[in-house]
Amino acid sequence: MKELVQKHYNDLQTTGQLIEGEDEEPSVMLWLLLLLAEFEDYENHTMMALSYLDKACDSTPTCYDLYAIRARVLKHAGALAQSEKSLAVGSSLDRGDRYMNTKHTKYLLRCNKIDEADNEVSYWTKKDTPSRIDLANMQACWYEIECGNSYWRQGDVVHANKLYHEVIDHFNQYVLDQFDFHPYVLRKANITPYLNV
């Protein structure tokens, strides 16, 4: 697969076409570069992956997917601080993208920047409620686990244990909700649709 993508990339560089006589959209080069960067990252060729990403950034600096993939490449190379900075740039390009906001928050927590992560994630929480309380109400296990891991790495066992305990409480609540839901369905005499699912 990599050889095929490399061939397409070379063809596009030399002739500007993948199929003779048909010009390609400029975005085709961008996505070929991204795919090649991901192949190189998979093979642990960090510098080659970053060089493809640099070329893609030169052509389309406003594509936030570039920064997310760069962050992943840097994370795989062990450069957590640089990967967080890359995601910060990508997240700033589209503040309305919840995925990028969440990824940036996770990377901040992996760099043990808990206060900055709380500030970043508060973009999506209720404005009149502290973000930690709102995240607990939303049962955001991803945040509690990452934040707990961050506290653990810093030796703050008390805060880490509190967050891990909240995750366990969420799962206990899931189980109780299931025990409540199934008898409810049977009591309401919806057995046929219930069994058909």
Side-chain angles (χ1 to χ4, degrees), residues 5 18 35 46 54 63 71 78 81-82 95 97 107-108 115-116 127-128 131 133 136 187:
V5 174
L18 294 178
L35 189 55
T46 303
D54 287 340
C63 178
Q82 290 175 309
R95 297 297 297 160
D97 190 317
Y107 277 60
L108 282 165
D115 292 335
E116 290 178 47
K127 301 302 177 206
D128 58 340
S131 60
I133 292 172
R187 280 194 320 271

Side-chain angles (χ1 to χ4, degrees), residues 96-126:
D97 190 317
R98 192 173 289 206
Y99 170 79
M100 288 298 286
N101 179 271
T102 302
K103 287 302 267 186
H104 186 212
T105 301
K106 280 185 175 183
Y107 277 60
L108 282 165
L109 290 170
R110 289 174 185 165
C111 292
N112 299 327
K113 298 178 180 179
I114 295 173
D115 292 335
E116 290 178 47
D118 284 343
N119 187 42
E120 181 71 18
V121 78
S122 69
Y123 188 78
W124 287 104
T125 58
K126 293 178 184 173

Side-chain angles (χ1 to χ4, degrees), residues 15-178:
T15 65
Q17 301 172 340
L18 294 178
I19 300 171
E20 194 173 324
E22 293 183 24
D23 289 335
E24 295 298 331
E25 296 283 328
S27 62
V28 173
M29 179 63 88
L30 170 72
W31 299 114
L32 282 173
L33 287 166
L34 283 175
L35 189 55
L36 284 169
E38 291 194 281
F39 279 129
E40 295 296 346
D41 179 42
Y42 179 76
E43 295 174 347
N44 294 320
H45 302 150
T46 303
M47 296 312 292
M48 197 66 192
L50 291 174
S51 73
Y52 284 128
L53 289 168
D54 287 340
K55 289 176 187 174
C57 255
D58 290 342
S59 69
T60 315
T62 57
C63 178
Y64 60 81
D65 290 325
L66 294 169
Y67 302 99
I69 293 170
R70 179 188 297 278
R72 188 179 324 127
V73 169
L74 291 167
K75 180 185 79 168
H76 293 161
L80 289 179
Q82 290 175 309
S83 65
E84 181 274 316
K85 287 178 183 168
S86 179
L87 264 176
V89 173
S91 182
S92 69
L93 291 173
D94 186 2
R95 297 297 297 160
D97 190 317
R98 192 173 289 206
Y99 170 79
M100 288 298 286
N101 179 271
T102 302
K103 287 302 267 186
H104 186 212
T105 301
K106 280 185 175 183
Y107 277 60
L108 282 165
L109 290 170
R110 289 174 185 165
C111 292
N112 299 327
K113 298 178 180 179
I114 295 173
D115 292 335
E116 290 178 47
D118 284 343
N119 187 42
E120 181 71 18
V121 78
S122 69
Y123 188 78
W124 287 104
T125 58
K126 293 178 184 173
K127 301 302 177 206
D128 58 340
T129 308
S131 60
R132 292 271 181 105
I133 292 172
D134 195 34
L135 289 166
N137 290 338
M138 290 190 291
Q139 299 176 331
C141 294
W142 67 269
Y143 179 83
E144 291 163 340
I145 290 170
E146 290 289 344
C147 194
N149 291 345
S150 180
Y151 278 125
W152 182 265
R153 283 190 298 272
Q154 296 176 61
D156 190 347
V157 178
V158 174
H159 281 100
N161 187 42
K162 181 178 185 263
L163 288 163
Y164 295 147
H165 187 71
E166 285 182 17
V167 173
I168 292 169
D169 284 346
H170 297 324
F171 278 89
N172 287 335
Q173 188 62 49
Y174 300 157
V175 170
L176 290 174
D177 288 346
Q178 288 299 307

Side-chain angles (χ1 to χ4, degrees), residues 174-187 194:
Y174 300 157
V175 170
L176 290 174
D177 288 346
Q178 288 299 307
F179 279 121
D180 186 46
F181 172 74
H182 297 289
Y184 164 79
V185 170
L186 294 174
R187 280 194 320 271
Y194 176 72

